[in-house]
Amino acid sequence: MRYSQLMLPTLKEDPAEAEVISHKLMFRAGMIRKLAAGIYSYLPLGLRVIRKVEEIVREEMNRAGAQEVLLPCVQPAELWMETHRWEEYGKDLLRFKDRHSRDCCFGPTHEEVITDIARREIRSYRQMPLNLYQIQTKFRDEIRPRFGLMRGREFIMKDAYSFDTDEAGLEKSYHKMYEAYERIFKRCGLTFTAVEAETGLIGGSASHEFMVMAETGEEIIVSCQSCDYTANVQKAEAKRTRLRARGSGKTLKPLKKMETPDMKTVEAVTQFLKVRPQNLVKTLIFETDQGVVATLIRGDHEINESKLEKLLGCGEVKLASDDVVYGATGAPKGFAGPIGLSVKTIADYSVESMVDFVTGANEEDAHYINVNLDRDVKVDQFADLRMIKEGDRCPRCGKSLSFSRGIEVGHIFKLGTKYSKTLKATYLDENGREREIVMGCYGIGVGRTAAAAIEQYHDEDGIIWPMPIAPFQVIVVPVNNKSEPLMETAEGIYRLLSGSGVEVLLDERDSTPGVKFKDADLIGIPLRITVGEKNLKRGLVEIRRRKNGETIVIGKEKTTETVLALINEEMEASLRV
RNA sequence: CGGGGAGUAGCGCAGUCUGGUUAGCGCGCUUGCUUCGGGAGCAAGAGGUCGGGAGUUCAAAUCUCCUCUCCCCGACCA
């Protein structure tokens, strides 16, 4: 490709609207342009990268035995009503009516559609295992789209769905996808990790997220320093502290009510009473679809709402409003306590071993001290309810945990029979018995993967593409357009490389070398061949690696073989690790 | 949906508080000459319904009201 014929509008300045580095650089490198909030156009350079990622995904999915399909993005409401997600999915689901006033939606994901195909086509156990995937534009009307392609409303996603006869089959399919995902992100040249994750709205029993490690990641990853436990912070289990014999050998102090005027926060109360937050038990009231629930947790810990939801087996829990808190405790927010509460009370494991602690008194401007379980407080259930935090120990081996940030680029789920049950997707087994198909689903954010690569690989001059997903592998820069020998040599190199199957961009624009170098760095082409006067007089050209600035000068006739070797080297480097 | 901020030339911004010539600056763009190894110089140009609507006024980018859009911080998303 010739630069002058390529639509590649690079910008010197960061766009005002961009906040994160990948968004700024994609914009400046002329890869994307915004149409509306969370909705982007891909310009030629951006699309080239997207296609590269897609191709890697496609190859690995095919290798893993999945078959490509393409499902509709406009979907009838009826199908979503069958799984009840028409009601459950909420505002993220973009809904509209067609000319006949039929309710439709733009697919945010395709479990319904694919399961509909499965229930029509799969009749026998002989037709499984089966894995179907597609690469397609999704739309999720996010509350707050941001960070360019990182969290758009419209985005390109690879979604795959596996169909098996039983759990054991699903286990195998899941594992195959897990391995395919590892290969995909490795081939993209990314540093990533797979973590245990929550299943969320998609549903199902188990799930892993594939995280690209990056400072700017929105996800917090917890991983053990010594064993292989790794999890999303939302999912991470807290280690249950050893249950000290409560009050044994030690006399419990008598319960006492204290005046705490206007002390509504843990900080205020603990400072006022001169105790540590670890000696206070917070009582948080939640509204759930099973009624009001009180949770007890140590003062320095936070409730993990998804754990609570899972424990209760309910849809969504939310911190109770002032009115509800008043109704349940008889006191305004900030003075709730477990003593004498009539609502269901669940305590975090961290509370189990506490003695003589502080709680609210369910009375304005008052707290109790020397509160004790059993004697003063009735707890219905103990459970792991808290958000894991820095300093916590590994729930598996007890060693220390480290916290890091990541970008979620892939997510795989064991769905089980959630969708086959509601949509009645069944087959006949060897014994002629009708059984539900066991499913898994597997997603990759294609645009987000490209963005994540930028987050991971960039410097102050711009993007540093890993070779496998670079929009071009090589850029040829003649330093002076007025010099015929330079231009001829550059043209010759360009033609030879193109002929050898190298993806090469020839910057034959009539601009100064500085401009060309800056643009080449900005758009992140891995190899740059500079054809300059001094070198050329001796029959030499220069090859420079974007990633480390390493420069080699070689005889111009050796260009093609050298470039091919360098490309090979970098392609393979991404596969190792 | 709360809370904060912003819409002025393709991009980045000043001007708005305190209304008053022809609305400026940098980058980019066009033409010519010179230049050519890290965003070149000189000269001449083109380009603006000041987000939209209504109002106040002799006069509105500037004041008032309404509205649209975008960005940032907040309740799990590839």
Side-chain angles (χ1 to χ4, degrees):
Chain A
M1 187 86 215
R2 287 161 190 278
Y3 201 122
S4 62
Q5 283 163 29
L6 180 64
M7 192 218 188
L8 178 46
T10 57
L11 264 32
K12 277 190 186 175
E13 280 168 301
D14 285 335
E17 64 188 35
E19 198 65 22
V20 299
I21 196 76
S22 61
H23 188 193
K24 288 179 186 172
L25 288 176
M26 280 189 160
F27 213 99
R28 285 188 53 207
M31 294 177 65
I32 57 169
R33 288 294 183 262
K34 187 177 72 184
L35 180 63
I39 301 178
Y40 292 85
S41 303
Y42 300 95
L43 300 186
L45 201 75
L47 187 62
R48 287 184 78 99
V49 175
I50 294 290
R51 292 284 185 248
K52 284 278 186 86
V53 175
E54 285 178 355
E55 207 39 46
I56 291 172
V57 169
R58 196 169 269 127
E59 282 172 23
E60 293 303 331
M61 293 308 290
N62 292 345
R63 182 206 297 267
Q67 298 173 62
E68 187 167 9
V69 295
L70 186 55
L71 306 172
C73 46
V74 173
Q75 304 175 11
E78 282 81 2
L79 200 50
W80 285 74
M81 287 172 178
E82 280 192 68
T83 58
H84 302 110
R85 285 211 293 184
W86 185 257
E87 301 89 58
E88 287 168 12
Y89 213 99
K91 289 188 173 172
D92 277 16
L93 185 63
L94 176 65
R95 301 154 209 254
F96 49 90
K97 290 180 192 296
D98 69 9
R99 67 193 300 163
H100 303 290
S101 293
R102 287 184 289 233
D103 282 312
C104 300
C105 65
F106 195 105
T109 175
H110 283 66
E111 283 80 11
E112 276 79 3
V113 176
I114 200 78
T115 310
D116 180 64
I117 293 196
R119 70 178 169 183
R120 289 167 194 273
E121 308 304 328
I122 298 178
R123 290 174 190 85
S124 159
Y125 70 95
R126 294 173 200 274
Q127 290 169 280
M128 291 177 279
L130 178 69
N131 190 326
L132 301 174
Y133 77 97
Q134 61 169 342
I135 297 174
Q136 185 211 35
T137 297
K138 301 283 192 271
F139 193 94
R140 295 184 188 172
D141 205 351
E142 294 269 348
I143 312 165
R144 186 149 93 86
R146 57 183 137 174
F147 304 153
L149 292 195
M150 207 72 100
R151 184 199 285 265
R153 292 193 294 167
E154 186 177 298
F155 59 98
I156 299 172
M157 175 172 160
K158 186 285 302 179
D159 47 326
Y161 304 88
S162 67
F163 304 92
D164 284 283
T165 55
D166 53 20
E167 283 290 331
L170 169 59
E171 194 59 47
K172 273 187 204 157
S173 296
Y174 188 84
H175 191 68
K176 264 191 189 168
M177 284 297 107
Y178 189 103
E179 288 184 328
Y181 274 40
E182 287 189 311
R183 287 188 58 89
I184 288 166
F185 298 120
K186 215 176 251 190
R187 281 189 60 187
C188 288
L190 297 166
T191 304
F192 66 97
T193 180
V195 308
E196 287 183 25
E198 281 297 330
T199 49
L201 204 56
I202 306 274
S205 59
S207 144
H208 283 88
E209 286 170 342
F210 285 77
M211 302 281 202
V212 168
M213 312 310 290
E215 296 274 313
T216 48
E218 287 188 88
E219 302 294 328
I220 296 175
I221 303 163
V222 176
S223 50
C224 180
Q225 307 275 32
S226 58
C227 76
D228 61 0
Y229 183 74
T230 313
N232 185 310
V233 72
Q234 299 288 344
K235 163 85 179 180
E237 303 153 28
K239 188 168 169 56
R240 188 174 183 174
T241 42
R242 199 154 33 89
L243 189 60
R244 262 179 280 151
R246 219 182 288 136
S248 71
K250 181 177 167 192
T251 347
L252 300 176
K253 294 181 186 162
L255 183 68
K256 189 177 173 193
K257 192 187 282 180
M258 302 291 282
E259 292 279 315
T260 51
D262 217 27
M263 308 278 163
K264 292 182 180 169
T265 62
V266 171
E267 202 190 349
V269 173
T270 52
Q271 275 177 13
F272 182 73
L273 296 173
K274 303 217 167 30
V275 296
R276 299 188 309 158
Q278 288 91 312
N279 291 327
L280 178 140
V281 168
K282 276 194 284 197
T283 306
L284 296 167
I285 312 291
F286 284 91
E287 293 177 56
T288 78
D289 50 25
Q290 300 175 0
V292 176
V293 171
T295 59
L296 306 183
I297 192 161
R298 222 169 77 181
D300 59 330
H301 289 153
E302 299 299 327
I303 291 279
N304 180 333
E305 293 183 16
S306 63
K307 286 182 179 175
L308 182 60
E309 283 165 13
K310 209 165 173 185
L311 181 76
L312 296 171
C314 61
E316 199 182 344
V317 303
K318 72 172 204 271
L319 218 44
S321 64
D322 294 13
D323 291 351
V324 173
V325 171
Y326 199 90
T329 68
K333 260 185 187 169
F335 301 98
I339 298 179
L341 270 189
S342 56
V343 298
K344 181 172 183 177
T345 305
I346 306 171
D348 182 66
Y349 286 141
S350 60
V351 176
E352 270 180 312
S353 55
M354 293 172 69
V355 286
D356 296 336
F357 49 85
V358 175
T359 72
N362 291 333
E363 184 181 317
E364 189 156 7
D365 298 339
H367 278 77
Y368 279 117
I369 63 167
N370 304 330
V371 180
N372 283 285
L373 295 171
D374 303 336
R375 186 188 72 185
D376 311 315
V377 177
K378 181 181 80 61
V379 171
D380 294 302
Q381 187 180 3
F382 287 95
D384 176 18
L385 286 182
R386 72 185 182 87
M387 192 70 90
I388 201 160
K389 62 174 202 171
E390 217 115 8
D392 278 330
R393 297 272 156 175
C394 174
R396 297 286 153 77
C397 73
K399 297 280 166 51
S400 57
L401 290 171
S402 68
F403 284 65
S404 47
R405 292 189 154 267
I407 298 161
E408 181 192 356
V409 289
H411 202 161
I412 61 180
F413 300 85
K414 287 181 194 166
L415 288 175
T417 54
K418 173 170 173 165
Y419 294 93
S420 47
K421 189 168 286 174
T422 49
L423 291 169
K424 299 184 181 59
T426 59
Y427 68 97
L428 292 181
D429 69 9
E430 301 91 316
N431 306 311
R433 264 207 318 257
E434 186 177 36
R435 307 182 65 166
E436 282 155 357
I437 296 172
V438 181
M439 294 174 55
C441 76
Y442 317 90
I444 289 179
V446 173
R448 188 183 280 184
T449 300
I454 297 176
E455 292 292 335
Q456 207 164 67
Y457 302 115
H458 65 268
D459 61 16
E460 59 283 359
D461 292 318
I463 304 169
I464 304 173
W465 288 114
M467 186 64 81
I469 58 172
F472 292 93
Q473 298 168 315
V474 179
I475 183 166
V476 179
V477 178
V479 159
N480 182 347
N481 275 53
K482 294 291 182 300
S483 158
E484 273 189 29
L486 283 194
M487 292 310 282
E488 270 167 30
T489 307
E491 285 274 352
I493 290 171
Y494 168 67
R495 272 196 298 270
L496 276 172
L497 286 173
S498 301
S500 310
V502 174
E503 294 164 320
V504 51
L505 182 61
L506 172 65
D507 192 351
E508 21 65 300
R509 291 175 299 169
D510 184 17
S511 25
T512 55
V515 171
K516 296 183 182 183
F517 293 155
K518 287 287 183 191
D519 275 337
D521 286 349
L522 176 62
I523 65 177
I525 309 302
L527 297 175
R528 187 184 83 200
I529 301 175
T530 313
V531 184
E533 223 130 14
K534 263 187 218 160
N535 280 327
L536 193 60
K537 271 181 193 151
R538 294 184 290 149
L540 304 172
V541 297
E542 173 189 302
I543 303 179
R544 183 177 192 270
R545 286 196 211 238
R546 175 67 179 89
K547 68 178 175 190
N548 54 13
E550 185 187 301
T551 298
I552 55 173
V553 179
I554 53 160
K556 64 176 180 182
E557 68 288 346
K558 290 207 179 124
T559 311
T560 306
E561 60 175 294
T562 312
V563 165
L564 285 171
L566 287 171
I567 289 173
N568 257 328
E569 183 197 315
E570 293 206 8
M571 292 294 271
E572 278 167 22
S574 65
L575 275 177
R576 286 196 302 267
V577 175

